Amino acid sequence: MVSESAALHFNIEPTSNPTPADHRADLIANPAFGRIFTDHMAVVKYSESRGWHDARITARKPIPLDPAASVLHYAQEIFEGMKAYRTGNGSIVTFRPEENAKRFRASAARMAMADLPQEIFIQAVDELVKIDRDWVPEGEGKSLYLRPFMIATEAFLGVKPASEYLFVVIACPVGAYFGSGCVSVWVSEDYTRAAPGGTGAAKCGGNYAASLVAQRDSQSHGCDQVLFLDSREQRFVEEMGGMNVMFLRDDNTLVTPPLTGTILPGITRDAILQLARDRGLKIEQTPIEIDEVFAGAASGRYTEAFACGTAAVISPIGSLRRREGEAVFGDGKTPGDVSLGLKRTLTEIQSGKTNDVHGWIHSIV
Ligand SMILES: *Cc1c(COP(=O)(O)O)cnc(C)c1O
């Protein structure tokens, strides 16, 4: 049996007004996260009658939307976050893009949106990176952040899954996401992120909308980030607003909460678990009691903590704070050796400095 490829032909329509090279060089020299965008975007339309069609790479510009478009009312929206890296030999690569494509399909299924075949997802990203390749910055920690997303565009105010969607990919050059030190984290006892049966495992904008007030609350307590607990008992560690969380114990074990449906299955999380195994660490994916973390930080049983995700790779956690006290890891300021070692290995794979033994790298140009 011949399996039919879902790939589409992408019309390439270069912008008539590209950013001049010297201005572009200025823009990508030290970009603020998420504010500088490349010249182009990838767009693919979906309708129930035509399926995925009209695939193009075109000048980046506003998206015309009917005011009744369902995304504006019922938040049928999903997204992905991934990066293109410039390697030492001048090629440009992405990291496990098929995992992003798979997760995008899973998110779409949860939000009752159109299924986007993996091939089209990867084609759109690759074509955008190709045309905007000069926007991929060079240098440590720098990359081109890619933001694929899908919105429901059908103009209809009835509450039902839309029959029309738009898939778009935009890109922005980025430097390192956080500073090089440790972040402080507020443990939210007032807000939760996801409930069993909810949308916690889907990468949908609504999850972020619901987390913003908790993030703001964490800042009002002088912290950089927020950590959510389980919504049933407020007893177990779940994750941050946009990153997974891991702890190192003094018995050489890296522990992280299991993927039971309320936690976003991070691709960085998965890669770090593999790299930790490669280094001979033991891995536990098990429910983690927040009280145990606080007690363990004090007793020295919990030696390191970090958040992980595409944007920051690994963000070492210096301290966790809640109403009743503080948990400090190490001296609270200096990132732990294991956290830094895992970060170095992963970024070296992504930048082509270390052998890609797991086959994670996808070459574009
Ligand atoms: C995207 C995301 C992550 C991290 O996923 P990566 O694939 O590692 O970037 C973790 N938690 C949430 C809530 C996220 O949205």
Side-chain angles (χ1 to χ4, degrees), residues 3 91 97 118 132 164 232 239 272 284 290 320 360 365:
S3 75
S91 67
Q118 191 167 316
D132 282 335
E164 289 168 18
R232 246 198 269 250
E239 63 170 315
I272 284 171
E284 272 182 25
I290 189 66
L320 296 179
W360 286 339
V365 289

Side-chain angles (χ1 to χ4, degrees), residues 79-82 95 99-100 103 145 147 193 199-204 207-208 211 228 239-245 262-272 308-313 346:
F79 65 97
E80 272 300 323
M82 51 198 289
F95 182 73
E99 295 300 320
N100 296 94
R103 189 169 65 188
Y145 185 81
R147 170 53 58 87
R193 182 186 164 272
T199 59
K203 219 167 166 69
C204 61
N207 287 346
Y208 275 71
S211 76
F228 291 103
E239 63 170 315
M240 323 275 282
M243 286 185 285
N244 297 119
V245 67
T262 54
I263 291 175
L264 199 290
I267 297 162
T268 315
R269 174 190 182 279
D270 184 76
I272 284 171
C308 59
T310 296
V313 189
L346 185 49

Side-chain angles (χ1 to χ4, degrees), residues 244-318:
N244 297 119
V245 67
M246 298 195 185
F247 300 93
L248 183 70
R249 270 193 338 231
D250 64 354
D251 59 350
N252 216 27
T253 306
L254 193 63
V255 285
T256 194
L259 301 176
T260 55
T262 54
I263 291 175
L264 199 290
I267 297 162
T268 315
R269 174 190 182 279
D270 184 76
I272 284 171
L273 290 178
Q274 182 59 53
L275 295 177
R277 270 184 216 108
D278 295 350
R279 298 179 156 238
L281 292 174
K282 283 169 280 181
I283 302 298
E284 272 182 25
Q285 300 184 59
T286 185
I288 303 167
E289 288 197 42
I290 189 66
D291 287 347
E292 189 195 323
V293 173
F294 272 69
S299 71
R301 177 142 173 85
Y302 280 70
T303 55
E304 298 184 28
F306 61 83
C308 59
T310 296
V313 189
I314 279 182
S315 195
I317 296 172

Side-chain angles (χ1 to χ4, degrees), residues 5-295:
S5 167
L8 290 178
H9 173 73
F10 275 73
N11 243 8
I12 310 289
E13 303 162 358
T15 177
S16 56
N17 189 20
T19 307
D22 52 343
H23 187 214
R24 186 183 60 229
D26 284 348
L27 288 174
I28 71 177
N30 214 347
F33 183 87
R35 290 200 188 273
I36 307 293
F37 298 96
T38 65
D39 285 330
H40 297 90
M41 63 184 185
V43 183
V44 192
K45 290 181 181 161
Y46 176 90
S47 68
E48 245 161 43
S49 54
R50 297 182 63 189
W52 290 102
H53 64 281
D54 202 4
R56 60 188 67 227
I57 301 292
T58 183
R60 184 181 180 281
K61 56 177 178 282
I63 299 170
L65 266 188
D66 191 284
S70 26
V71 63
L72 299 176
H73 305 272
Y74 309 125
Q76 258 193 309
E77 190 270 356
I78 56 169
F79 65 97
E80 272 300 323
M82 51 198 289
K83 285 174 168 177
Y85 308 88
R86 198 177 278 283
T87 69
N89 64 18
S91 67
I92 296 172
V93 305
T94 49
F95 182 73
R96 307 180 78 185
E98 63 290 339
E99 295 300 320
N100 296 94
K102 271 186 217 157
R103 189 169 65 188
F104 199 67
R105 294 185 62 193
S107 298
R110 178 61 183 82
M111 305 303 284
M113 298 172 80
D115 182 41
L116 180 74
Q118 191 167 316
E119 291 97 318
I120 300 177
F121 181 99
I122 293 177
Q123 268 188 303
V125 168
D126 287 4
E127 292 297 337
L128 179 63
V129 170
K130 264 184 221 165
I131 199 166
D132 282 335
R133 70 180 81 177
D134 292 340
W135 288 87
V136 184
E138 206 164 346
E140 179 130 14
K142 293 185 176 172
S143 57
L144 187 69
Y145 185 81
L146 296 155
R147 170 53 58 87
F149 63 100
M150 193 204 305
I151 56 175
T153 51
E154 185 186 5
F156 178 56
L157 291 184
V159 180
K160 61 137 191 131
S163 62
E164 289 168 18
Y165 296 91
L166 197 62
F167 171 63
V168 184
V169 190
I170 54 174
C172 39
V174 294
Y177 192 61
F178 293 112
S180 49
C182 286
V183 294
S184 59
V185 176
W186 179 252
V187 180
S188 184
E189 293 164 320
D190 298 321
Y191 303 102
T192 59
R193 182 186 164 272
T199 59
K203 219 167 166 69
C204 61
N207 287 346
Y208 275 71
S211 76
L212 295 178
V213 66
Q215 175 63 28
R216 194 169 62 186
D217 194 40
S218 80
Q219 279 152 4
S220 76
H221 287 93
C223 292
D224 305 305
Q225 295 281 316
V226 60
L227 176 70
F228 291 103
L229 303 175
D230 77 285
S231 61
R232 246 198 269 250
E233 300 181 83
Q234 298 265 295
R235 183 173 151 205
F236 297 103
V237 171
E238 294 249 299
E239 63 170 315
M240 323 275 282
M243 286 185 285
N244 297 119
V245 67
M246 298 195 185
F247 300 93
L248 183 70
R249 270 193 338 231
D250 64 354
D251 59 350
N252 216 27
T253 306
L254 193 63
V255 285
T256 194
L259 301 176
T260 55
T262 54
I263 291 175
L264 199 290
I267 297 162
T268 315
R269 174 190 182 279
D270 184 76
I272 284 171
L273 290 178
Q274 182 59 53
L275 295 177
R277 270 184 216 108
D278 295 350
R279 298 179 156 238
L281 292 174
K282 283 169 280 181
I283 302 298
E284 272 182 25
Q285 300 184 59
T286 185
I288 303 167
E289 288 197 42
I290 189 66
D291 287 347
E292 189 195 323
V293 173
F294 272 69

